[in-house]
Amino acid sequence: MNERIEIYDTTLRDGSQGEGVNFSVDDKCRVAEQLDAFGVDFIEGGWPGSNPRDVAFFERAHQLKLTHARISAFGSTRRHTLSCDSDPSIQALLKAETPVITIFGKSWLLHVTDALRLRPEENLEIIEDSVRYLAARVPHLIYDAEHFFDGYQSDPQYALATLRAAAVGGPQCIVLCDTNGGSLPDTVARVTREVLEQIAVPLGIHCHNDGELAVANTLAAVSAGAVHVQGTINGYGERCGNANLCSVIPNLELKLGYNVLGPEQLLKLRATSRFVSEIANLSLDSRAAFVGDSAFAHKGGVHVSAVERNPATYEHIVPETVGNRRRVLVSDLAGRANLLAKARELGVELNDEQRVLDELKRLEHDGYEFEAAEASFELLVSKLRGAHQPYFELLGFRVIDEHRGALMPMSEATVKVKVGGHVEHTAATGNGPVNALDNSLRRALQRFYPSLAEMRLVDYKVRVITSNLSGTASLVRVLICSGDRHAQWGTVGVSANIVEASWRALVDSVEYKLARDGVVPIDGGQDDVPSVSASLGLEEAII
Amino acid sequence: MNERIEIYDTTLRDGSQGEGVNFSVDDKCRVAEQLDAFGVDFIEGGWPGSNPRDVAFFERAHQLKLTHARISAFGSTRRHTLSCDSDPSIQALLKAETPVITIFGKSWLLHVTDALRLRPEENLEIIEDSVRYLAARVPHLIYDAEHFFDGYQSDPQYALATLRAAAVGGPQCIVLCDTNGGSLPDTVARVTREVLEQIAVPLGIHCHNDGELAVANTLAAVSAGAVHVQGTINGYGERCGNANLCSVIPNLELKLGYNVLGPEQLLKLRATSRFVSEIANLSLDSRAAFVGDSAFAHKGGVHVSAVERNPATYEHIVPETVGNRRRVLVSDLAGRANLLAKARELGVELNDEQRVLDELKRLEHDGYEFEAAEASFELLVSKLRGAHQPYFELLGFRVIDEHRGALMPMSEATVKVKVGGHVEHTAATGNGPVNALDNSLRRALQRFYPSLAEMRLVDYKVRVITSNLSGTASLVRVLICSGDRHAQWGTVGVSANIVEASWRALVDSVEYKLARDGVVPIDGGQDDVPSVSASLGLEEAII
């Protein structure tokens, strides 16, 4: 059996140190659940001592339903002026009540003397004392040796002394950190080997990407004997980011033959990467290794024809092993295999797959993207199969946003729809045009379809997508996440106009809910019912 | 003296195989001149046999004023059915009349038998014959051994035989290519060493990034004895890209001590990276090692205060050695140290830092975030110091989005502002409410502040920030990036209403530009000027 390597994900802590990365407490909970489903062993949730948002996350974390991963709280060794019992940061770690705690300490004399302004021996005492105190109070204690490689380069004896001090405290794992991210793979391999000869505790590795070498450094440490790997999804993190788990994991598993998440879980690699990038609202680099849209995209004619004959000629791995797919640029945007896999996944039967494929290609070319919008995809397939009946007809809408003097602006939407034979004309206000439109649409439909009352907007994301091949005006893609008490679902709308794009996503969201609930569309031909009068009460929904 | 490593840039050839990378002939000429100024040794301009654009570039290339770099034409070994004299592709290479030619041949039996469908010996003859023919007709001939590492793994004897065949032809350099990009650094190092024992020609290395290891693989080959490095600026290239010269060069020069471009030229690294990304019209990854905006950006409070005391504590190199700079991010993860450092960086004097800090905390609690909005931060500080004069007063705005039947919806904005004593009331349409508002505001102000005509919206991001700490209504944060021909700047607006949040970011953006340009606000008290009439022409801006 192959050697097992533990994966410790720090997307929610170190990843959120990255510029432009900000997770709300809700975001953190959703990411944690996704990471658990992906199969990582540890999820570092934040630094409970440092800010109220992380405190709130750890409170919520107890309700998360995790099947495999353990949540870890991150913090520092105690302050030199305080005992562990009186250090608020140490106590905050314990109060988070996680099964795992990770604390970092100083390995580099430069930091001890210049940053902390301590005597070298004081630092050793602090490390040993903090590790011992916490290791006795938590099932699993990890010690992060900050700046270990820089410290070892400048004073190997002192750097090793800090690890010995930690080891005496009884941690489950000691992690060598390349905090400044400037180390080279040969150095990381050599130093890891030398440490292994001196320290009996299992070793981990934590790399940053300042030399564009974080993945290589991580592999070098594992090859040298480290058994625990820290990193983040998509390599998010301070400065140039952390070691990218989306590259580290498949390299360890597929290239080096370690037992990491296993082949079943590896199929979720691309989906996990996209999920986290969507939540972070950062576009995923299309060139990203393994998971990027271009990772298996062939442009050169020579490559394309060779790949057609034998994929191994220009592909280093089979794209499907990491949930990705081959793309041939210019022609084939959506592969048939992908479509079939997706349909299977959604339990949809395709009787005319070519037609679905063609329509999907057309929509993708127009800027649609269904990864975070499965409800829209399901509706699309249903429409193409002729299995979908529309629930209403739009006659028109108008939204007015008004700002007068020092007053807060108000958004008001009027919507005119036809349901069966009835024309319904309603108005509603909102915190913004999309919220007003959502309120107004649901008010118009609610008397016909009462279950819409329980529906709400959960999230709303907008992205400007520069034009594909057409070279015309820029487009806006709106992703909406809606929910009721049973589920949450995502829909997408694309248009040059943000309000129109939002409208399309809203309509999909409403239709998806009604279809899923098994509601029968109201037919035409009935008597007209008097219209519900407009209401202008302010609503609590999002936009 | 340190060992010299040659840099062979293939941004214009292999780089342009990347998805979304397209260079015109003009673009190619500008990039070539920039690469020459940067100091690379070779510039691979294209494949003259493959397309008319590359033929045109080589015609123009003779007029380029290059001080150091030599232009190279790229192509394939001759076809097996033709002699070199009659092979149009070989002849096109000669017709390009470059001082350097690079041809590639097959090293991997899989390709010889599956893709070319040749006997192994035929391939050896083709390589030797093509190299000999061209080496006799051009001052500098480089042989690229395509798929060398995969070929060597599957049949080392045959792979070496292809190199011997090339060596007999008399090339100046033989380049080992990891064409599929899936090799690991240890393999690259070992194979390079083994080849060096067998082949007397200087060796080069050409890596792709499919395992996120191209930089590490390149360094491994150089450490093993390669003296010629191929790569692209920003790592552009097919699939996951080529070895990124922006990381390879500083690692070789600063970390491994080779003589590459020299310290003077290295100062141009960031500028070269940005120049090429501008020409390619691709945004530069802010996390890019060495050259990215975030590469030396500090967010965590612990990091910031330590860096202030001693930069080496959290910086692996001095940012200025590669033309970059340190940045301090203002965020709730940080504290007073960040704020003060940021103010110093912006050249802003804080005479009442507590007040600024309090206001910043209040705004961050309200959902503001200044990391990607330095212009808003600068304005804020300026306002708190009483140093900012408003350029106009808003009397009101109104935006209408209308959708009737099957027509595309239209957004129309009216804006009423007061500039000095004048009231200006204008209207404009747009692709959406924010675009309409932007068009309308700039139209209203342009007659007073003409330089606003050159301003444009570059990017627009919306984020719903749920469940902050307040627990009240959800908020929307809008980040806008604006630009003119000199610079780009980011601003932020937060409100429960998306249109209002966008408006705030728009206003900051306009005010920042005017302040930075040194424009003096127009005072009140003048005679009123008749208002410019509303125009409803559709604009081309983004939202």
Side-chain angles (χ1 to χ4, degrees), chain B residues 222-347:
Chain B
V222 172
S223 294
V227 293
H228 166 111
V229 163
Q230 302 196 344
T232 63
I233 301 296
N234 301 329
Y236 296 143
E238 184 141 37
R239 303 186 313 272
C240 305
N242 287 56
N244 183 0
L245 290 178
C246 295
S247 296
V248 168
I249 293 172
N251 272 321
L252 287 175
E253 189 115 24
L254 301 175
K255 301 288 175 70
L256 288 166
Y258 290 98
N259 172 15
V260 191
L261 307 186
E264 279 298 310
Q265 296 303 104
L266 206 54
L267 297 173
K268 302 178 188 166
L269 185 72
R270 181 175 143 95
T272 302
S273 159
R274 298 205 79 92
F275 181 88
V276 173
S277 75
E278 285 298 323
I279 299 289
N281 201 17
L282 293 170
S283 58
L284 185 62
D285 183 5
S286 76
R287 280 195 282 141
F290 298 99
V291 297
D293 276 342
S294 305
F296 302 94
H298 302 284
K299 188 167 172 181
V302 175
H303 291 202
V304 173
S305 54
V307 156
E308 290 285 305
R309 289 187 191 176
N310 181 342
T313 52
Y314 286 99
E315 285 172 0
H316 69 127
I317 62 160
V318 176
E320 284 72 19
T321 52
V322 293
N324 210 336
R325 63 183 176 103
R326 179 181 314 144
R327 287 169 61 230
V328 173
L329 303 179
V330 179
S331 118
D332 69 341
L333 298 171
R336 179 183 303 262
N338 271 32
L339 173 69
L340 295 178
K342 183 81 202 170
R344 259 198 304 282
E345 183 195 319
L346 295 172

Side-chain angles (χ1 to χ4, degrees), chain B residues 58-95:
Chain B
F58 285 109
E59 276 166 21
R60 292 265 303 273
H62 299 288
Q63 282 113 56
L64 292 176
K65 292 189 190 90
L66 305 185
T67 58
H68 171 78
R70 284 178 283 176
I71 299 280
S72 173
F74 176 85
S76 165
T77 47
R78 70 163 168 81
R79 268 182 252 171
H80 74 283
T81 51
L82 300 172
S83 71
C84 287
D85 269 329
S86 62
D87 185 306
S89 177
I90 294 275
Q91 295 307 313
L93 282 171
L94 291 173
K95 215 180 289 170

Side-chain angles (χ1 to χ4, degrees), chain A residues 19 115 212 247 294 431 497, chain B residues 19 212 247 294 309 431 497:
Chain A
E19 188 171 4
E212 205 180 330
S247 296
S294 304
N431 289 333
N497 187 309
Chain B
E19 188 172 3
E212 205 179 330
S247 296
S294 305
R309 289 187 191 176
N431 288 333
N497 187 309

Side-chain angles (χ1 to χ4, degrees), chain A residues 449-493:
Chain A
Y449 306 114
S451 69
L452 292 179
E454 69 188 27
M455 198 182 133
R456 67 202 149 80
L457 234 69
V458 175
D459 200 6
Y460 173 82
K461 286 204 169 82
V462 179
R463 166 124 347 124
V464 176
I465 41 176
T466 40
S467 50
N468 242 350
L469 305 166
S470 54
T472 61
S474 294
L475 294 171
V476 178
R477 178 167 55 224
V478 169
L479 289 168
I480 282 181
C481 179
S482 307
D484 58 20
R485 66 214 148 83
H486 305 296
Q488 295 195 349
W489 57 94
T491 55
V492 59

Side-chain angles (χ1 to χ4, degrees), chain A residues 247-486:
Chain A
S247 296
V248 168
I249 292 172
N251 273 321
L252 287 176
E253 187 116 24
L254 302 174
K255 301 288 174 70
L256 289 166
Y258 289 98
N259 172 15
V260 191
L261 305 187
E264 279 299 311
Q265 296 304 103
L266 207 54
L267 297 173
K268 302 178 188 166
L269 185 73
R270 179 174 145 95
T272 302
S273 159
R274 297 207 77 94
F275 182 88
V276 173
S277 75
E278 285 298 330
I279 298 289
N281 201 15
L282 293 170
S283 56
L284 185 62
D285 183 5
S286 75
R287 280 195 282 139
F290 298 99
V291 297
D293 277 343
S294 304
F296 302 95
H298 302 285
K299 188 168 173 179
V302 175
H303 290 203
V304 172
S305 57
V307 157
E308 295 281 309
R309 289 187 191 174
N310 181 342
T313 53
Y314 286 98
E315 284 173 359
H316 69 128
I317 61 159
V318 176
E320 284 73 17
T321 52
V322 292
N324 209 334
R325 62 193 169 101
R326 179 180 314 144
R327 287 167 62 228
V328 173
L329 300 181
V330 182
S331 58
D332 194 356
L333 293 169
R336 178 182 303 261
N338 224 47
L339 173 69
L340 295 178
K342 187 82 197 163
R344 257 198 309 281
E345 189 191 320
L346 294 172
V348 174
E349 221 176 276
L350 288 182
N351 38 19
D352 187 0
E353 62 180 72
Q354 189 53 50
R355 202 161 139 245
V356 176
L357 204 60
D358 290 347
E359 178 66 5
L360 214 60
K361 275 186 202 168
R362 193 186 65 73
L363 288 169
E364 283 188 342
H365 183 268
D366 288 352
Y368 274 78
E369 186 199 286
F370 293 94
E371 259 120 6
E374 299 203 343
S376 285
F377 177 78
E378 224 177 305
L379 269 178
L380 173 72
V381 172
S382 182
K383 282 175 188 165
L384 289 170
R385 290 168 63 213
H388 181 76
Q389 291 273 74
Y391 287 89
F392 67 95
E393 181 192 343
L394 174 70
L395 301 178
F397 67 71
R398 184 197 288 135
V399 190
I400 299 179
D401 313 292
E402 195 152 21
H403 179 130
R404 293 253 155 258
L407 290 173
M408 265 299 287
M410 194 195 69
S411 297
E412 182 201 348
T414 57
V415 168
K416 201 178 199 176
V417 292
K418 200 168 171 184
V419 183
H422 323 287
V423 172
E424 186 75 14
H425 194 178
T426 46
T429 56
N431 289 333
V434 179
N435 180 217
L437 210 46
D438 177 41
N439 290 337
S440 190
L441 173 65
R442 286 194 290 114
R443 173 167 296 152
L445 297 178
Q446 222 159 291
R447 57 188 295 238
F448 306 103
Y449 306 114
S451 69
L452 292 179
E454 69 188 27
M455 198 182 133
R456 67 202 149 80
L457 234 69
V458 175
D459 200 6
Y460 173 82
K461 286 204 169 82
V462 179
R463 166 124 347 124
V464 176
I465 41 176
T466 40
S467 50
N468 242 350
L469 305 166
S470 54
T472 61
S474 294
L475 294 171
V476 178
R477 178 167 55 224
V478 169
L479 289 168
I480 282 181
C481 179
S482 307
D484 58 20
R485 66 214 148 83
H486 305 296

